[in-house]
Amino acid sequence: MIGLLLLWICTLIVNSLTHPAVIIPQDPTITIGTSLTASCSVDPDLNLKVEDLSWTLNGRRLPAELYKILNNTSLSVVLNNLNGSKQQSGDNLVCHGKDGRILAGSCLYVGLPPEKPTNITCWSKNMKDLTCKWLPGSEGETYLHTNYTLKYKLRWYGRDNTCLEYHTMGPYSCHIPKDLALFTPYEIWVEASNRLGSTTSDIITLDILDVVTTDPPSDVHVSRVGDLEDQLSVRWSSPPALKDFLFQDKYQIRYRVEDSTEWKVVDDVGNQTSCRLAGLQPGTVYFVQVRCNPFGIYGSKKAGIWSDWSNPTAASTPRSERITGVCEPKSGEQNSTLRRELKQFFGWVKKHAYGCSNLSIKLYDQWRVWLQKSHKTRNQPRKRTQKRRS
């Protein structure tokens, strides 16, 4: 008994030495717009004058008109219409002695209850896992740290499960790596909580088969199409992770010029694993990417989710061999009409051959080869004639 009494006395002595003052309330949580009265009570054995005490909030001295002497050892301060905390770790309210030394401190947590999380979206990588993202409530997240918990369960039976791998795809995301059932819908929701309360999102229902995505297409190759100066051929492999499953796939291609950041997207690729890009600039380097959308897995009616784009693959179109700076000779009306008709036909074929359409692509190739040869044949005599004239 005597030992416990001595221990208690020693604890009081240590506290009086290490904590010369106490702020009440200690580390309070307050709603934005409310007021707070805090008091600093000093140890009477330290012979500190209450008139010498002062207050600071986040390092800034509070005006003396906010103070009130409660007794010989206590000084209070009134904080009216508090704004949200400057930082989620709390605002620092500190009581100082005459020489400015810190006597005691308290953290003020000023904010709002969390808002309901919204816009929950989920996807499954090759039907092996599930990743979900959501949007937080803006106000509740701004001032106070908010904890988020993603929960899920089978729709008609089963217990609640809690996702454990957070921040895998950003600050508001969670990854469920395994043990997921197919052909059975899940209910998924997000719970949010902070120092001032808690709330729950709306529940979404999904089937894993309806939210499948896959890896970007592999083995993307881009090559020239013979000497055709405005075309490139693109080939790739279908996603190997889904080769054993019954599904459909469709692809998109995008490409850009080396010195540009603007991508052009080809939407009409379908389920082909090759494509002919036409209408390109001669002698130009292009970067090409491909992505895949697996849909209709085991008869799913959903649209599917696009994969990430493949790594860029570069290739260049052949340089134009046309000779510039040569004047065209005058021609008769018949030749003029023929050239005009051929120009119209060329424009029509080029329009329908753009992208990955196979419409008249052989005819288009024949036309381009003939056109390049005709330019070479036409220009060579003129070049020799110009040398003789000079």
Side-chain angles (χ1 to χ4, degrees), residues 82-301:
L82 287 166
N83 295 319
S85 295
K86 300 293 184 182
Q87 51 198 7
Q88 291 188 348
S89 58
D91 294 332
N92 298 315
L93 180 64
V94 179
C95 176
H96 298 267
K98 181 179 180 180
D99 55 357
R101 72 188 181 103
I102 296 175
L103 301 178
S106 178
C107 286
L108 307 184
Y109 299 95
V110 187
L112 295 170
E115 294 182 355
K116 184 169 67 174
T118 60
N119 196 31
I120 302 175
T121 56
C122 304
W123 62 94
S124 174
K125 193 70 167 291
N126 301 319
M127 295 185 292
K128 296 179 179 179
D129 62 0
L130 189 68
T131 301
C132 295
K133 298 178 68 175
W134 60 89
L135 295 179
S138 58
E139 293 295 333
E141 179 71 14
T142 302
Y143 306 107
L144 300 177
H145 174 71
T146 302
N147 293 311
Y148 294 94
T149 304
L150 185 136
K151 293 189 174 182
Y152 61 100
K153 70 172 184 177
L154 293 172
R155 184 175 185 182
W156 293 298
Y157 57 91
R159 59 182 178 82
D160 292 0
N161 299 280
T162 301
C163 183
L164 300 178
E165 298 182 9
Y166 289 89
H167 313 301
T168 55
M169 293 295 292
Y172 309 108
S173 64
C174 197
H175 176 239
I176 305 169
K178 59 182 180 179
D179 299 330
L180 293 165
L182 301 179
F183 306 103
T184 302
Y186 278 92
E187 291 183 347
I188 299 174
W189 66 96
V190 177
E191 298 175 355
S193 63
N194 65 16
R195 289 173 172 268
L196 286 172
S198 61
T199 186
T200 302
S201 71
D202 295 334
I203 297 175
I204 68 167
T205 302
L206 61 84
D207 191 312
I208 300 297
L209 298 178
D210 293 335
V211 293
V212 176
T213 186
T214 188
D215 302 301
S218 59
D219 301 324
V220 178
H221 298 282
V222 184
S223 58
R224 295 180 177 182
V225 184
D227 293 330
L228 298 180
E229 60 202 29
D230 64 344
Q231 295 188 33
L232 289 173
S233 175
V234 186
R235 297 182 180 278
W236 60 90
S237 299
S238 58
L242 296 177
K243 64 179 181 179
D244 296 328
F245 298 97
L246 178 63
F247 76 103
Q248 303 178 56
D249 54 353
K250 57 183 177 181
Y251 298 94
Q252 277 186 343
I253 293 177
R254 70 176 186 178
Y255 62 94
R256 65 174 175 86
V257 177
E258 181 181 24
D259 298 330
S260 174
T261 58
E262 181 180 353
W263 294 91
K264 294 184 178 180
V265 178
V266 181
D267 287 312
D268 60 347
V269 182
N271 61 356
Q272 307 176 67
T273 55
S274 64
C275 173
R276 182 81 64 85
L277 299 177
L280 305 179
Q281 301 175 23
T284 304
V285 175
Y286 284 89
F287 288 98
V288 181
Q289 292 179 295
V290 186
R291 66 177 181 174
C292 175
N293 183 340
F295 68 100
I297 296 180
Y298 291 129
S300 171
K301 302 300 183 182

